[in-house]
Amino acid sequence: MSLGKDILLYFHRDNITKDTNLGGLIDIQLPNYTAVDILFAINKLCLNSYLVPTGHSWDFNIRNNTYQTLIYNPKDADYGVYDFVIYGTSKIYDTFKSSVLPIIINSSGDFQIGTSFIVNFKNNICLITARHCIDIKESEIFIYNSNSKPIVPKRIVVPEKSEFVGDNGFEFQNLDVCVLCFDKDDFNDNRSLFLEEPKILSDVLVLGYPPTGLFDSASDVNNAVLIAEKASISHNYIKATIGQNVGSGTLPLTKLDYILISARVKGGNSGGPVINEHGKVVGIITQIPMDGSSSVSDKVDDLGFGFACSSELIHKFLLSIFDSSKEIKFKELENKAKTDSFLI
C-alpha cells in the first residue's frame, strides 16, 4: 500500500476536485487507512505543493476544503516519492537501508571496507562506489548480498586518463567514481536507487559504514568481512546522518563539479549515497573538505562537512559505459577475487 499514491490518485482521477467528506473519503474511497493517517498525509502533500486546496479556504481545516492534484508521476508514485514526502527521512531509511552495502577489499590479507549503493541503469545492475575505495592493485573485491552470499562483480569500471576534456574544462579522469557490474539476479531482494539532479538547500540523508568505535562490536578493520556479512542481513552497522546540500562548485584539484553537504561524514562513508527528500541519489561521498583557515594540509573541516560527486557526473559516466555516449573514457580493473577464494 502507498498512502501518498492513493491520495493523489483519488484527487487526480478525471482531473476534477473532490470534496473531502470524511465519511466518503475513508469508508468508501480509502478504506485501508485511518482518518488520522489521511488528514496527516493531505496536510503534508499540501505543504509540499502536491495538493492544492480549491474549496472554501486555505485554513488547514481539511474538512472545509476540496483539493486538486497539481503533480502526479506514476514512476515517482511506484518508487515511493509521495510517501517519502509524507513520512520523511525515516521512511527513506527503512526503504533503502538494504540497498546500501559495504564493499570488502582484501589487499594481501589487509581487509578494508567501503560503502556502495545499488542502481539499475538501463537494466544493468550496478553498485556505485568511490574509486579510491577500490583502486588498490592486487586486491580481491567482493560484496555480500541479502542472502549472506559473497558476490564477485563481473566488471569493475573506472574513468581512464585521456586528453579529452569535457564542458567547462572538466577533467573526467579525476572522477572519483567506480561502477561494479553484476548479474541481474544477484540482488533480487534489494531495491535500486534512482538518480536526481541536486538542488541547493534541499534536505539530504547520508548512509554508509563509517567506524564508530564502542558502538560496533565488530568495528575493528580486521572484522570488515564480519561487518559486511552481518550488514547484508540485519543492517545493524549502517549509519545515517542528515543535513542539507549547502553549496556547489568546481574543486581546483579535480576540476569537476561537487556539492557540499552539512551532514557529518567520516572515513567509511566514502562511496555512500547522498539521498534527497524524494529518496533519490543526488551525489556520492568522496572526501571531507580541508580547513581553509589552516596551513596544515591534513587538518580537516571541524564541522565534518563532506564533498559529494554530483549525480549528474555519475549519470554521464553510466551513459558512457552502457549507452552510445563516450563522453567519459573508461577502463576495467582486474579483480583477483574468485567465488571460491573467500576465507572468513
Side-chain angles (χ1 to χ4, degrees):
M1 293 190 303
S2 170
L3 177 55
K5 176 181 178 179
D6 289 345
I7 286 179
L8 288 180
L9 276 176
Y10 174 77
F11 292 107
H12 184 69
R13 276 187 219 132
D14 303 322
N15 199 30
I16 60 172
T17 59
K18 297 195 177 188
D19 190 352
T20 56
N21 176 289
L22 284 182
L25 183 64
I26 297 169
D27 298 334
I28 300 174
Q29 301 293 342
L30 298 172
N32 294 320
Y33 308 102
T34 68
V36 172
D37 289 336
I38 294 172
L39 297 178
F40 176 79
I42 289 177
N43 197 359
K44 284 283 189 177
L45 292 169
C46 284
L47 288 173
N48 287 275
S49 301
Y50 289 99
L51 281 179
V52 173
T54 57
H56 304 290
S57 63
W58 180 221
D59 60 1
F60 286 98
N61 186 343
I62 295 186
R63 295 173 184 268
N64 294 337
N65 282 297
T66 56
Y67 297 86
Q68 189 170 32
T69 306
L70 285 184
I71 303 171
Y72 182 77
N73 183 309
K75 190 174 181 179
D76 281 346
D78 292 338
Y79 185 70
V81 168
Y82 306 129
D83 284 337
F84 300 149
V85 168
I86 294 169
Y87 298 112
T89 52
S90 61
K91 179 68 173 178
I92 297 172
Y93 172 84
D94 288 338
T95 302
F96 293 113
K97 62 185 179 183
S98 64
S99 304
V100 181
L101 300 171
I103 292 180
I104 297 300
I105 304 99
N106 177 15
S107 180
S108 301
D110 178 21
F111 288 92
Q112 301 182 38
I113 192 168
T115 302
S116 66
F117 57 94
I118 301 173
V119 170
N120 183 340
F121 188 80
K122 297 183 179 292
N123 291 320
N124 295 283
I125 302 300
C126 310
L127 285 183
I128 312 295
T129 188
R131 175 174 178 166
H132 74 262
C133 289
I134 57 90
D135 204 0
I136 303 172
K137 293 182 179 179
E138 302 298 320
S139 294
E140 294 182 339
I141 299 166
F142 58 96
I143 311 290
Y144 279 92
N145 67 7
S146 58
N147 295 319
S148 192
K149 177 185 176 183
I151 304 294
V152 177
K154 297 190 302 182
R155 301 172 65 194
I156 302 175
V157 188
V158 297
E160 183 178 26
K161 291 185 178 181
S162 68
E163 298 299 321
F164 177 79
V165 177
D167 298 337
N168 303 316
F170 290 167
E171 296 185 2
F172 291 126
Q173 69 265 24
N174 295 322
L175 183 61
D176 192 5
V177 173
C178 173
V179 175
L180 298 94
C181 306
F182 294 85
D183 291 326
K184 291 183 179 180
D185 58 352
D186 282 341
F187 297 99
N188 286 333
D189 298 329
N190 305 79
R191 287 194 57 177
S192 297
L193 284 148
F194 288 2
L195 303 177
E196 188 166 84
E197 180 182 352
K199 298 186 183 302
I200 299 297
L201 295 182
S202 63
D203 294 331
V204 295
L205 168 70
V206 176
L207 299 177
Y209 293 89
T212 52
L214 296 176
F215 291 98
D216 289 340
S217 59
S219 62
D220 191 291
V221 69
N222 293 324
N223 290 319
V225 178
L226 178 62
I227 290 175
E229 183 182 15
K230 290 188 174 181
S232 68
I233 304 171
S234 63
H235 318 295
N236 286 342
Y237 296 104
I238 194 169
K239 300 297 180 292
T241 56
I242 58 174
Q244 285 188 317
N245 177 3
V246 296
S248 64
T250 303
L251 293 183
L253 292 178
T254 63
K255 297 183 180 179
L256 290 170
D257 272 350
Y258 281 75
I259 60 176
L260 180 66
I261 61 169
S262 61
R264 294 186 65 86
V265 298
K266 58 188 296 187
N269 278 116
S270 290
V274 180
I275 304 173
N276 66 9
E277 63 269 26
H278 299 147
K280 299 181 182 181
V281 174
V282 295
I284 177 175
I285 296 294
T286 55
Q287 59 180 293
I288 301 173
M290 307 306 291
D291 185 349
S293 65
S294 172
S295 60
V296 180
S297 60
D298 61 352
K299 183 179 179 182
V300 299
D301 190 332
D302 291 334
L303 292 175
F305 284 14
F307 278 129
C309 172
S310 167
S311 56
E312 296 169 296
L313 290 175
I314 299 173
H315 185 258
K316 285 185 178 181
F317 190 36
L318 290 170
L319 282 175
S320 296
I321 298 171
F322 299 113
D323 209 336
S324 57
S325 169
K326 299 300 179 186
E327 188 168 2
I328 303 177
K329 290 190 66 177
F330 60 86
K331 64 179 181 180
E332 296 191 24
L333 300 181
E334 183 181 2
N335 185 6
K336 298 295 185 180
K338 301 182 185 301
T339 54
D340 57 355
S341 68
F342 303 109
L343 297 176
I344 300 176

